[in-house]
Coordinates of all heavy atoms in Angstrom, one line a residue:
M1 N 100.7 87.4 101.6 CA 101.7 88.3 101.1 C 101.8 89.5 102.0 O 100.9 90.1 102.4 CB 101.3 88.8 99.7 CG 102.2 89.7 99.0 SD 101.4 90.1 97.4 CE 102.8 90.4 96.4
G2 N 103.1 89.9 102.3 CA 103.3 91.1 103.2 C 103.2 92.4 102.5 O 102.9 92.5 101.3
A3 N 103.3 93.4 103.3 CA 103.2 94.8 102.7 C 104.3 95.1 101.7 O 105.5 94.6 101.9 CB 103.3 95.8 103.8
V4 N 104.0 95.8 100.7 CA 105.0 96.1 99.6 C 105.7 97.4 100.0 O 105.0 98.4 100.3 CB 104.3 96.2 98.3 CG1 105.3 96.6 97.2 CG2 103.6 94.9 97.9
N5 N 107.0 97.4 99.9 CA 107.8 98.6 100.2 C 108.0 99.3 98.8 O 109.0 99.0 98.1 CB 109.1 98.3 100.9 CG 109.9 99.5 101.2 OD1 109.8 100.6 100.5 ND2 110.8 99.4 102.2
W6 N 107.1 100.2 98.4 CA 107.2 100.7 97.0 C 108.4 101.6 96.9 O 109.0 101.7 95.8 CB 105.9 101.5 96.7 CG 104.7 100.5 96.5 CD1 103.7 100.4 97.4 CD2 104.5 99.6 95.5 NE1 102.9 99.4 96.9 CE2 103.4 98.9 95.8 CE3 105.3 99.3 94.3 CZ2 102.9 97.9 94.9 CZ3 104.8 98.3 93.5 CH2 103.6 97.6 93.8
G7 N 108.8 102.3 97.9 CA 110.0 103.1 97.9 C 111.2 102.3 97.5 O 112.1 102.7 96.7
D8 N 111.3 101.1 98.2 CA 112.5 100.2 97.9 C 112.4 99.7 96.5 O 113.4 99.6 95.8 CB 112.4 99.0 98.9 CG 113.6 98.1 98.7 OD1 114.7 98.5 98.7 OD2 113.3 96.9 98.5
I9 N 111.2 99.4 96.0 CA 111.1 98.9 94.6 C 111.5 100.0 93.7 O 112.2 99.7 92.7 CB 109.7 98.4 94.4 CG1 109.4 97.1 95.2 CG2 109.4 98.1 92.9 CD1 108.0 96.6 95.1
H10 N 111.1 101.2 93.9 CA 111.4 102.3 93.1 C 112.9 102.5 93.0 O 113.5 102.6 91.9 CB 110.8 103.6 93.5 CG 111.0 104.8 92.6 ND1 111.8 105.8 92.9 CD2 110.4 105.0 91.4 CE1 111.8 106.7 91.9 NE2 111.0 106.2 91.0
E11 N 113.6 102.5 94.1 CA 115.1 102.6 94.2 C 115.8 101.5 93.5 O 116.7 101.7 92.7 CB 115.5 102.8 95.6 CG 115.1 104.0 96.3 CD 115.5 105.3 95.6 OE1 116.7 105.4 95.2 OE2 114.7 106.2 95.4
R12 N 115.3 100.3 93.7 CA 115.9 99.1 93.0 C 115.7 99.2 91.5 O 116.6 98.8 90.7 CB 115.4 97.8 93.6 CG 115.9 97.5 95.0 CD 115.5 96.2 95.5 NE 114.1 96.0 95.4 CZ 113.4 94.9 95.5 NH1 114.1 93.8 95.6 NH2 112.1 94.8 95.5
T13 N 114.6 99.7 91.1 CA 114.3 99.8 89.6 C 115.2 100.8 89.0 O 115.7 100.6 87.9 CB 112.8 100.1 89.4 OG1 112.0 99.1 90.0 CG2 112.5 100.1 87.9
I14 N 115.4 102.0 89.7 CA 116.3 103.0 89.2 C 117.7 102.4 89.1 O 118.4 102.7 88.1 CB 116.2 104.2 90.1 CG1 114.9 105.0 90.0 CG2 117.4 105.2 89.9 CD1 114.7 106.1 91.0
A15 N 118.1 101.7 90.1 CA 119.5 101.1 90.1 C 119.6 100.1 89.0 O 120.7 100.1 88.3 CB 119.7 100.4 91.4
L16 N 118.6 99.3 88.7 CA 118.6 98.4 87.6 C 118.8 99.1 86.2 O 119.7 98.8 85.4 CB 117.3 97.6 87.5 CG 117.2 96.6 86.3 CD1 118.2 95.5 86.5 CD2 115.7 96.1 86.3
Y17 N 118.1 100.2 86.0 CA 118.2 101.0 84.8 C 119.6 101.6 84.7 O 120.2 101.7 83.7 CB 117.1 102.1 84.7 CG 115.9 101.6 84.1 CD1 115.0 100.7 84.7 CD2 115.5 102.0 82.8 CE1 113.9 100.2 84.1 CE2 114.4 101.6 82.2 CZ 113.6 100.7 82.8 OH 112.4 100.3 82.2
A18 N 120.1 102.1 85.9 CA 121.5 102.7 85.9 C 122.5 101.6 85.5 O 123.5 101.9 84.8 CB 121.8 103.3 87.2
R19 N 122.4 100.4 86.0 CA 123.4 99.4 85.8 C 123.4 98.9 84.3 O 124.4 98.6 83.8 CB 123.2 98.2 86.7 CG 123.7 98.3 88.0 CD 123.8 97.0 88.8 NE 122.5 96.2 88.7 CZ 121.5 96.3 89.6 NH1 121.6 97.2 90.6 NH2 120.5 95.6 89.5
H20 N 122.2 98.8 83.8 CA 122.0 98.1 82.5 C 121.9 99.1 81.3 O 122.0 98.7 80.2 CB 120.9 97.1 82.5 CG 121.1 96.0 83.4 ND1 121.9 94.9 83.1 CD2 120.7 95.7 84.7 CE1 122.0 94.1 84.1 NE2 121.3 94.6 85.1
G21 N 121.6 100.3 81.6 CA 121.5 101.4 80.5 C 121.0 100.9 79.2 O 119.8 100.5 79.1
T22 N 121.8 100.8 78.2 CA 121.4 100.4 76.9 C 120.9 98.9 76.8 O 120.2 98.6 75.9 CB 122.5 100.6 75.8 OG1 123.6 99.8 76.2 CG2 122.9 102.0 75.7
G23 N 121.3 98.1 77.8 CA 120.7 96.8 77.9 C 119.3 96.7 78.1 O 118.6 95.7 77.9
L24 N 118.7 97.8 78.6 CA 117.2 97.9 78.8 C 116.6 98.8 77.7 O 115.7 99.5 77.9 CB 116.9 98.5 80.1 CG 117.3 97.6 81.3 CD1 117.1 98.3 82.6 CD2 116.4 96.3 81.3
G25 N 117.2 98.7 76.5 CA 116.6 99.4 75.4 C 117.1 100.8 75.3 O 116.6 101.6 74.5
G26 N 118.0 101.2 76.1 CA 118.6 102.6 76.1 C 117.6 103.6 76.6 O 117.8 104.8 76.4
Q27 N 116.5 103.2 77.2 CA 115.6 104.2 77.7 C 115.7 104.4 79.2 O 116.2 103.6 79.9 CB 114.1 103.7 77.4 CG 113.7 102.4 78.2 CD 112.3 102.0 77.8 OE1 112.0 102.0 76.6 NE2 111.6 101.6 78.8
E28 N 115.2 105.6 79.6 CA 115.1 105.9 81.0 C 113.8 105.4 81.6 O 112.9 105.1 80.9 CB 115.2 107.4 81.1 CG 116.5 108.0 80.7 CD 116.6 109.5 80.9 OE1 115.7 110.0 81.7 OE2 117.5 110.1 80.4
L29 N 113.9 105.2 82.9 CA 112.7 104.8 83.6 C 111.5 105.8 83.4 O 111.7 107.0 83.7 CB 113.0 104.6 85.1 CG 111.9 104.1 86.0 CD1 111.6 102.6 85.6 CD2 112.3 104.2 87.4
P30 N 110.4 105.4 82.8 CA 109.3 106.3 82.6 C 108.8 106.9 84.0 O 108.8 106.2 85.0 CB 108.2 105.5 82.0 CG 109.0 104.3 81.3 CD 110.1 104.1 82.3
D31 N 108.3 108.1 84.0 CA 107.8 108.7 85.2 C 106.5 108.0 85.7 O 105.9 107.3 84.9 CB 107.4 110.2 84.9 CG 108.6 111.1 84.6 OD1 109.7 110.8 85.1 OD2 108.4 112.1 83.9
V32 N 106.2 108.2 86.9 CA 105.0 107.7 87.5 C 103.8 108.4 86.9 O 103.9 109.5 86.3 CB 105.0 107.8 89.0 CG1 106.1 107.0 89.6 CG2 105.0 109.2 89.5
L33 N 102.6 107.8 87.1 CA 101.4 108.5 86.7 C 100.7 109.1 87.9 O 100.9 108.7 89.0 CB 100.4 107.4 86.1 CG 100.8 106.6 84.9 CD1 99.7 105.7 84.5 CD2 101.2 107.5 83.7
S34 N 99.9 110.1 87.6 CA 99.1 110.7 88.7 C 97.8 109.9 88.8 O 97.5 109.1 87.9 CB 98.7 112.2 88.3 OG 97.8 112.2 87.2
E35 N 97.1 110.0 89.9 CA 95.8 109.3 90.1 C 94.9 109.6 88.9 O 94.2 108.7 88.4 CB 95.2 109.6 91.4 CG 93.9 108.9 91.7 CD 94.1 107.4 91.9 OE1 95.1 106.9 92.4 OE2 93.2 106.7 91.4
T36 N 94.8 110.9 88.5 CA 93.9 111.3 87.4 C 94.3 110.6 86.1 O 93.5 110.1 85.4 CB 94.0 112.8 87.2 OG1 93.5 113.4 88.5 CG2 93.1 113.3 86.1
Q37 N 95.6 110.6 85.8 CA 96.1 109.9 84.6 C 95.7 108.4 84.6 O 95.3 107.9 83.6 CB 97.6 110.1 84.4 CG 98.0 111.5 84.1 CD 99.5 111.6 84.2 OE1 100.2 111.1 85.1 NE2 100.1 112.2 83.2
L38 N 95.9 107.8 85.8 CA 95.6 106.4 85.9 C 94.1 106.1 85.7 O 93.8 105.2 85.0 CB 96.1 105.9 87.3 CG 96.0 104.4 87.6 CD1 96.7 103.6 86.5 CD2 96.5 104.1 88.9
R39 N 93.3 106.9 86.3 CA 91.8 106.7 86.2 C 91.4 106.9 84.7 O 90.6 106.2 84.2 CB 91.1 107.7 87.1 CG 91.0 107.3 88.5 CD 89.9 108.0 89.3 NE 89.9 109.4 89.1 CZ 90.6 110.3 89.8 NH1 91.4 109.9 90.8 NH2 90.6 111.6 89.6
R40 N 92.0 107.9 84.1 CA 91.6 108.1 82.6 C 92.1 107.0 81.8 O 91.4 106.6 80.8 CB 92.3 109.4 82.1 CG 91.6 110.6 82.7 CD 92.2 111.9 82.2 NE 91.5 113.1 82.7 CZ 92.0 114.3 82.7 NH1 93.2 114.5 82.2 NH2 91.3 115.3 83.3
A41 N 93.2 106.4 82.0 CA 93.7 105.2 81.3 C 92.8 104.0 81.5 O 92.4 103.3 80.6 CB 95.1 104.9 81.7
E42 N 92.4 103.8 82.8 CA 91.4 102.7 83.1 C 90.1 102.9 82.3 O 89.5 102.0 81.8 CB 91.2 102.6 84.6 CG 92.4 102.1 85.3 CD 92.2 102.1 86.8 OE1 91.5 103.1 87.4 OE2 92.6 101.2 87.5
E43 N 89.6 104.2 82.3 CA 88.4 104.5 81.6 C 88.5 104.2 80.2 O 87.6 103.6 79.5 CB 88.0 105.9 81.9 CG 87.5 106.2 83.3 CD 87.3 107.7 83.5 OE1 87.3 108.5 82.5 OE2 87.1 108.1 84.7
Q44 N 89.6 104.7 79.6 CA 89.8 104.5 78.1 C 89.9 103.0 77.8 O 89.3 102.5 76.8 CB 91.0 105.2 77.6 CG 91.3 105.0 76.1 CD 92.5 105.6 75.7 OE1 92.8 106.7 76.0 NE2 93.3 104.8 74.9
F45 N 90.6 102.2 78.6 CA 90.7 100.8 78.3 C 89.5 99.9 78.8 O 89.4 98.8 78.4 CB 92.0 100.2 78.9 CG 93.3 100.7 78.3 CD1 94.3 101.3 79.1 CD2 93.5 100.7 76.9 CE1 95.5 101.8 78.6 CE2 94.7 101.2 76.4 CZ 95.6 101.8 77.2
G46 N 88.7 100.6 79.6 CA 87.5 99.9 80.1 C 87.8 98.8 81.1 O 87.1 97.8 81.1
V47 N 88.9 99.1 81.9 CA 89.3 98.1 82.9 C 89.6 98.8 84.2 O 89.7 100.1 84.2 CB 90.6 97.3 82.5 CG1 90.3 96.5 81.2 CG2 91.7 98.3 82.3
E48 N 89.7 98.1 85.3 CA 90.2 98.6 86.5 C 91.5 97.7 86.8 O 91.4 96.5 86.9 CB 89.2 98.4 87.6 CG 89.7 99.0 88.9 CD 88.6 99.0 90.0 OE1 87.4 99.2 89.7 OE2 89.0 98.8 91.2
F49 N 92.6 98.4 86.8 CA 93.9 97.6 87.0 C 93.9 97.0 88.4 O 93.3 97.6 89.4 CB 95.1 98.6 86.8 CG 95.3 99.1 85.5 CD1 95.5 100.5 85.3 CD2 95.2 98.3 84.3 CE1 95.6 101.0 84.0 CE2 95.4 98.8 83.1 CZ 95.6 100.2 82.9
P50 N 94.5 95.9 88.6 CA 94.7 95.3 89.9 C 95.4 96.3 90.8 O 96.3 97.1 90.3 CB 95.6 94.1 89.7 CG 95.4 93.7 88.2 CD 95.2 95.1 87.5
E51 N 95.1 96.3 92.1 CA 95.7 97.3 93.0 C 97.2 97.3 93.0 O 97.8 98.4 93.1 CB 95.2 97.0 94.5 CG 95.5 98.1 95.4 CD 95.1 99.5 95.0 OE1 94.1 99.7 94.3 OE2 95.8 100.5 95.4
D52 N 97.9 96.1 93.0 CA 99.4 96.2 93.0 C 99.9 96.8 91.7 O 100.9 97.6 91.8 CB 99.9 94.7 93.1 CG 99.9 94.2 94.5 OD1 99.7 94.9 95.4 OD2 100.2 93.0 94.6
Y53 N 99.3 96.6 90.6 CA 99.7 97.3 89.4 C 99.4 98.8 89.4 O 100.3 99.6 89.0 CB 99.0 96.7 88.1 CG 99.5 97.2 86.8 CD1 100.9 97.2 86.5 CD2 98.7 97.7 85.9 CE1 101.4 97.7 85.3 CE2 99.1 98.2 84.7 CZ 100.5 98.2 84.4 OH 100.9 98.7 83.2
R54 N 98.3 99.2 90.0 CA 98.0 100.6 90.2 C 99.0 101.3 91.0 O 99.5 102.3 90.7 CB 96.6 100.8 90.9 CG 95.4 100.4 90.0 CD 94.1 100.6 90.8 NE 93.5 101.8 90.2 CZ 93.6 103.0 90.7 NH1 94.2 103.2 91.9 NH2 93.1 104.1 90.1
Q55 N 99.4 100.6 92.1 CA 100.4 101.2 93.0 C 101.8 101.3 92.3 O 102.5 102.2 92.5 CB 100.5 100.4 94.3 CG 99.3 100.5 95.2 CD 99.0 101.9 95.5 OE1 99.8 102.7 95.9 NE2 97.7 102.3 95.3
Y56 N 102.1 100.3 91.5 CA 103.4 100.3 90.7 C 103.4 101.6 89.8 O 104.3 102.3 89.7 CB 103.6 99.0 89.9 CG 104.9 99.1 89.1 CD1 106.0 98.6 89.7 CD2 104.9 99.5 87.8 CE1 107.2 98.6 89.0 CE2 106.1 99.6 87.1 CZ 107.2 99.1 87.7 OH 108.4 99.2 87.0
L57 N 102.3 101.8 89.1 CA 102.2 102.9 88.1 C 102.2 104.2 88.9 O 102.7 105.2 88.4 CB 100.9 102.8 87.3 CG 100.8 101.6 86.3 CD1 99.4 101.5 85.8 CD2 101.8 101.7 85.2
L58 N 101.6 104.3 90.1 CA 101.6 105.5 90.9 C 102.9 105.8 91.6 O 103.2 106.9 91.9 CB 100.4 105.4 91.9 CG 99.0 105.5 91.3 CD1 98.0 105.1 92.4 CD2 98.7 106.8 90.7
R59 N 103.6 104.7 92.0 CA 104.8 104.9 92.9 C 106.1 104.6 92.3 O 107.1 105.1 92.8 CB 104.6 104.1 94.1 CG 103.4 104.5 94.9 CD 103.1 103.5 96.0 NE 102.0 103.7 96.8 CZ 102.0 103.9 98.1 NH1 103.1 103.9 98.8 NH2 100.8 104.1 98.7
V60 N 106.2 103.8 91.2 CA 107.4 103.4 90.7 C 107.7 103.9 89.3 O 108.6 104.6 89.0 CB 107.6 101.8 90.7 CG1 108.9 101.4 90.1 CG2 107.4 101.3 92.1
S61 N 106.8 103.6 88.4 CA 107.0 104.0 87.0 C 105.8 103.6 86.1 O 105.0 102.7 86.5 CB 108.2 103.2 86.4 OG 108.3 103.4 85.0
A62 N 105.6 104.3 85.0 CA 104.5 104.0 84.1 C 104.8 102.8 83.2 O 104.0 102.5 82.3 CB 104.2 105.2 83.3
G63 N 105.9 102.1 83.4 CA 106.2 100.9 82.6 C 107.7 100.7 82.6 O 108.4 101.1 83.4
G64 N 108.1 100.0 81.6 CA 109.5 99.6 81.5 C 109.8 99.2 80.0 O 109.2 99.7 79.1
R65 N 110.8 98.4 79.9 CA 111.4 98.1 78.6 C 110.3 97.4 77.7 O 110.2 97.6 76.5 CB 112.6 97.2 78.7 CG 113.2 96.9 77.4 CD 114.5 96.1 77.5 NE 115.1 95.9 76.2 CZ 114.7 95.0 75.3 NH1 113.7 94.3 75.5 NH2 115.4 95.0 74.1
V66 N 109.6 96.4 78.3 CA 108.7 95.6 77.5 C 107.4 96.4 77.2 O 107.0 96.5 76.0 CB 108.4 94.3 78.2 CG1 107.4 93.5 77.4 CG2 109.7 93.5 78.4
R67 N 106.8 97.0 78.2 CA 105.5 97.7 78.0 C 105.6 99.0 78.8 O 106.0 99.0 80.0 CB 104.4 96.9 78.5 CG 104.1 95.6 77.6 CD 102.9 94.9 78.1 NE 102.7 93.7 77.3 CZ 102.7 92.5 77.8 NH1 102.8 92.3 79.1 NH2 102.6 91.5 77.1
T68 N 105.1 100.0 78.2 CA 105.0 101.3 78.9 C 103.6 101.9 78.6 O 103.2 101.9 77.4 CB 106.1 102.3 78.4 OG1 107.4 101.7 78.6 CG2 106.0 103.6 79.1
L69 N 103.0 102.4 79.6 CA 101.7 103.1 79.4 C 102.0 104.5 79.1 O 102.6 105.2 79.9 CB 100.9 103.0 80.7 CG 99.4 103.4 80.6 CD1 98.7 102.6 79.6 CD2 98.8 103.2 82.0
R70 N 101.6 105.0 77.9 CA 101.9 106.3 77.4 C 100.7 107.1 77.0 O 99.7 106.5 76.6 CB 102.9 106.3 76.3 CG 104.2 105.7 76.7 CD 105.2 105.9 75.6 NE 106.5 105.3 76.0 CZ 107.6 105.3 75.3 NH1 107.5 105.8 74.0 NH2 108.7 104.8 75.7
F71 N 100.8 108.4 77.1 CA 99.7 109.3 76.7 C 100.2 110.2 75.6 O 101.2 110.9 75.7 CB 99.2 110.1 77.9 CG 98.0 111.0 77.6 CD1 96.7 110.4 77.4 CD2 98.1 112.3 77.5 CE1 95.6 111.1 77.1 CE2 97.0 113.1 77.3 CZ 95.7 112.5 77.1
D72 N 99.5 110.2 74.4 CA 100.0 111.0 73.3 C 99.4 112.4 73.2 O 99.5 113.1 72.2 CB 99.9 110.3 72.0 CG 98.4 110.1 71.6 OD1 97.5 110.6 72.2 OD2 98.2 109.4 70.6
G73 N 98.7 112.8 74.3 CA 98.0 114.1 74.3 C 96.5 114.0 74.0 O 95.7 114.9 74.3
A74 N 96.1 112.9 73.3 CA 94.7 112.6 73.0 C 94.2 111.3 73.6 O 93.1 111.3 74.0 CB 94.6 112.6 71.5
R75 N 95.1 110.3 73.7 CA 94.6 109.0 74.2 C 95.8 108.3 74.8 O 96.9 108.5 74.5 CB 93.9 108.2 73.1 CG 94.8 107.9 71.9 CD 94.0 107.2 70.8 NE 93.5 105.9 71.2 CZ 94.2 104.8 71.1 NH1 95.4 104.8 70.6 NH2 93.6 103.6 71.5
W76 N 95.5 107.3 75.6 CA 96.5 106.4 76.2 C 96.7 105.2 75.2 O 95.8 104.8 74.5 CB 95.9 105.8 77.5 CG 95.9 106.9 78.6 CD1 94.9 107.6 78.9 CD2 97.0 107.3 79.4 NE1 95.2 108.5 79.9 CE2 96.5 108.3 80.2 CE3 98.3 106.9 79.5 CZ2 97.4 108.9 81.2 CZ3 99.1 107.5 80.5 CH2 98.6 108.5 81.3
Y77 N 97.9 104.7 75.3 CA 98.2 103.5 74.5 C 99.3 102.7 75.2 O 100.0 103.3 76.1 CB 98.6 103.8 73.1 CG 99.9 104.6 72.9 CD1 101.1 104.0 72.6 CD2 99.9 106.0 73.0 CE1 102.3 104.8 72.5 CE2 101.0 106.8 72.9 CZ 102.2 106.1 72.6 OH 103.3 106.9 72.5
R78 N 99.4 101.5 74.9 CA 100.5 100.6 75.5 C 101.6 100.5 74.4 O 101.4 100.1 73.3 CB 100.0 99.3 75.8 CG 99.0 99.3 77.0 CD 98.3 98.1 77.2 NE 97.3 98.0 76.1 CZ 96.5 97.1 75.9 NH1 96.4 96.0 76.7 NH2 95.6 97.1 74.9
W79 N 102.8 100.9 74.8 CA 103.9 100.9 73.9 C 104.7 99.6 74.2 O 105.0 99.3 75.3 CB 104.8 102.1 74.1 CG 106.0 102.1 73.2 CD1 106.1 102.5 71.9 CD2 107.3 101.8 73.6 NE1 107.4 102.4 71.5 CE2 108.2 101.9 72.5 CE3 107.9 101.3 74.8 CZ2 109.5 101.7 72.6 CZ3 109.2 101.0 74.9 CH2 110.0 101.2 73.8
F80 N 105.1 98.9 73.2 CA 105.8 97.7 73.3 C 107.2 97.8 72.7 O 107.3 98.2 71.5 CB 105.1 96.5 72.6 CG 103.8 96.2 73.2 CD1 102.6 96.8 72.7 CD2 103.6 95.3 74.3 CE1 101.4 96.5 73.2 CE2 102.4 95.1 74.8 CZ 101.3 95.7 74.3
A81 N 108.2 97.5 73.5 CA 109.6 97.6 72.9 C 109.8 96.5 71.9 O 109.3 95.4 72.0 CB 110.6 97.5 74.1
S82 N 110.6 96.8 70.9 CA 110.9 95.8 69.9 C 112.2 95.1 70.2 O 113.0 95.5 71.0 CB 111.0 96.4 68.5 OG 111.9 97.5 68.5

């Protein structure tokens, strides 16, 4: 597998949300996570995310229409779109 161009993936994901708007649940692309936020989520869930997923969360977005990693001020949770 070749190197991943995360900037390109981020731009294409933004374009996808712009094109489909309400077709993606009417939500905006969630912000990226900081390294600290990501480590805290891994600690809370008791896992270490695969490196590609870590990079996605750090460089593209904290999730999308189906699943979004969110923090409610006290703990992390996975939000699932209905």
Side-chain angles (χ1 to χ4, degrees):
M1 181 183 209
V4 177
N5 182 337
W6 292 107
D8 181 54
I9 291 173
H10 186 253
E11 292 304 315
R12 289 186 303 162
T13 305
I14 289 170
L16 176 69
Y17 272 70
R19 277 195 312 272
H20 294 283
T22 59
L24 291 173
Q27 67 182 40
E28 294 182 14
L29 185 65
D31 292 334
V32 298
L33 299 180
S34 69
E35 182 66 37
T36 300
Q37 290 173 315
L38 183 56
R39 281 196 313 271
R40 287 181 179 162
E42 288 176 323
E43 289 172 10
Q44 179 183 313
F45 293 130
V47 300
E48 185 174 321
F49 296 131
E51 188 57 29
D52 281 348
Y53 185 51
R54 291 182 103 260
Q55 292 305 312
Y56 182 88
L57 294 170
L58 291 167
R59 297 173 183 236
V60 179
S61 172
R65 182 180 188 280
V66 177
R67 294 185 183 118
T68 302
L69 191 57
R70 296 191 178 176
F71 186 70
D72 68 7
R75 61 185 296 271
W76 289 94
Y77 64 98
R78 290 167 288 180
W79 177 81
F80 300 91
S82 52

